[in-house]
Amino acid sequence: MEHEHEFVLEIPEFQHLAYEVEEGIALVTLKRPEALNALSREVLEELAQVAEVIAQDPEARVAIFRGEGRAFAAGADLKEIAALKDPFTAREYALLGQQVFAEIAALPIPTIAAIHGYALGGGLELALACDLRVAAKGAKLGLPEVGLGLIPGFGGTQRLPRLIGRGRALDLIFTGRHVDAEEALMLGLVNRVGEDALEEAKKLAQKILKNAPIALALAKESVVRGEGLDLAEALEIEADLFGYAAATEDMKEGVRAFLEKRPPVFKGE
Ligand SMILES: C/C=C/C(=O)SCCNC(=O)CCNC(=O)[C@H](O)C(C)(C)COP(=O)(O)OP(=O)(O)OC[C@H]1O[C@@H](n2cnc3c(N)ncnc32)[C@H](O)[C@@H]1OP(=O)(O)O
């Protein structure tokens, strides 16, 4: 009876990705290396499922997305794109990718894309749905869709200009060119460049993990909710969420620790 209400996290059996959590860091690894982790419908569906798992997993405090093999992800699956029969099925396909990436973007914890090798098309759009991006030297990022007679359809025409500005985004979208990690850093497309993307992403995650979990979630919520609003409305949301943060036990602990000149011990309460 004691266990009647115990929460059990159900993790589906994934075919094309792996999920593990270690010391607060949830690691999602795309596992379709033979196709450079091309995002087939099956992969997209599993990404939606893993987003649900992350959202429910109390152990997951920061999530890192990465790819196995030579690439982060080389885009939507071009065999499936070739089979799109008409504008309606193609539209549904874009909506599927958009919805999956919206679920990732809406996760209540900080998310990081650890990019090595290629992050192209839908692969870069997945990285854009994450909060932060870290690239390995040698990584190649781009939105090559117009070269295929397509346009970015999993959020790229919206998230890229919001992130790096309209002019720089349209340069990448119109030319379809690949940018390397250094240029991506200069453009603000990635936050960090390192020898190894995963190691660099873990370092960044560990820095984030030192901070109060509820404050992290509220800070993200404030940024995300404010994006579509005018400044006055967005500032009201910020004040409300500041109020929530100030009501947490962790806020008391954070301030007390500062005054006592010791590191805080946050409990996520
Ligand atoms: C809304 C979203 C739309 C989109 O995302 S549209 C797609 C945008 N992406 C692209 O256009 C990139 C397509 N891929 C490439 O251009 C090249 O790949 C690379 C430059 C990334 C790498 O080239 P290399 O090193 O020569 O490898 P390789 O032999 O082309 O690829 C290895 C295997 O991976 C498969 N593959 C790569 N990308 C995709 C993809 N996007 N969809 C389906 N399969 C892909 C290939 O076909 C091949 O497979 P096999 O060994 O059986 O010939």
Side-chain angles (χ1 to χ4, degrees):
M1 285 315 246
E2 215 174 287
H3 298 291
E4 205 178 358
H5 300 296
E6 201 171 280
F7 170 73
V8 181
L9 180 71
E10 277 187 41
I11 301 179
E13 282 224 358
F14 296 115
Q15 301 296 313
H16 303 295
L17 54 85
Y19 178 74
E20 60 199 290
V21 186
E22 209 180 287
E23 290 173 3
I25 303 177
L27 185 60
V28 176
T29 306
L30 296 173
K31 279 177 165 277
R32 233 196 129 198
E34 69 287 356
L36 303 183
N37 299 317
L39 303 165
S40 61
R41 280 178 202 273
E42 281 183 8
V43 176
L44 290 170
E45 272 152 25
E46 290 196 355
L47 277 170
Q49 287 174 351
V50 86
E52 224 171 285
V53 170
I54 295 170
Q56 290 176 37
D57 191 342
E59 303 297 319
R61 294 184 42 213
V62 173
I64 296 176
F65 290 79
R66 62 147 180 185
E68 189 177 273
R70 287 204 283 134
F72 177 75
D77 191 308
L78 285 167
K79 288 195 182 125
E80 290 183 358
I81 287 194
L84 294 171
K85 293 185 295 292
D86 54 59
F88 306 102
T89 38
R91 177 174 179 275
E92 291 298 324
Y93 184 76
L95 288 174
L96 168 70
Q98 287 178 4
Q99 193 188 333
V100 173
F101 292 178
E103 280 165 34
I104 290 170
L107 282 171
I109 59 171
T111 53
I112 306 171
I115 301 168
H116 78 289
Y118 295 101
L120 300 177
L124 181 57
E125 290 171 304
L126 167 60
L128 288 167
C130 293
D131 300 321
L132 302 167
R133 284 146 296 281
V134 162
K137 288 181 183 156
K140 297 261 183 274
L141 298 82
L143 292 175
E145 283 90 339
V146 293
L148 298 161
L150 286 169
I151 70 167
F154 293 169
T157 67
Q158 303 310 309
R159 290 202 176 92
L160 188 63
R162 280 168 168 77
L163 182 68
I164 66 173
R166 176 188 165 128
R168 305 207 246 201
L170 283 173
D171 172 347
L172 297 194
I173 292 169
F174 285 162
T175 63
R177 70 193 175 90
H178 298 174
V179 299
D180 61 21
E182 285 72 21
E183 186 179 355
L185 183 65
M186 199 184 71
L187 291 169
L189 178 52
V190 302
N191 300 83
R192 305 263 196 292
V193 175
E195 291 295 332
D196 183 284
L198 183 59
E199 285 313 308
E200 201 63 29
K202 281 188 175 166
K203 272 198 260 166
L204 181 53
Q206 279 149 7
K207 286 205 176 88
I208 295 170
L209 282 169
K210 290 198 169 67
N211 298 315
I214 298 175
L216 289 170
L218 293 170
K220 176 166 174 175
E221 187 182 337
S222 190
V223 170
V224 171
R225 282 176 58 194
E227 238 164 16
L229 303 176
D230 68 43
L231 185 62
E233 261 180 287
L235 287 173
E236 261 182 59
I237 288 176
E238 184 184 75
D240 289 348
L241 297 176
F242 182 90
Y244 291 144
T248 60
E249 284 302 312
D250 281 349
M251 181 272 192
K252 289 190 196 127
E253 164 63 11
V255 175
R256 206 183 307 128
F258 174 80
L259 296 174
E260 291 170 5
K261 300 187 192 300
R262 61 169 174 86
V265 181
F266 292 124
K267 296 200 177 115
E269 292 168 3

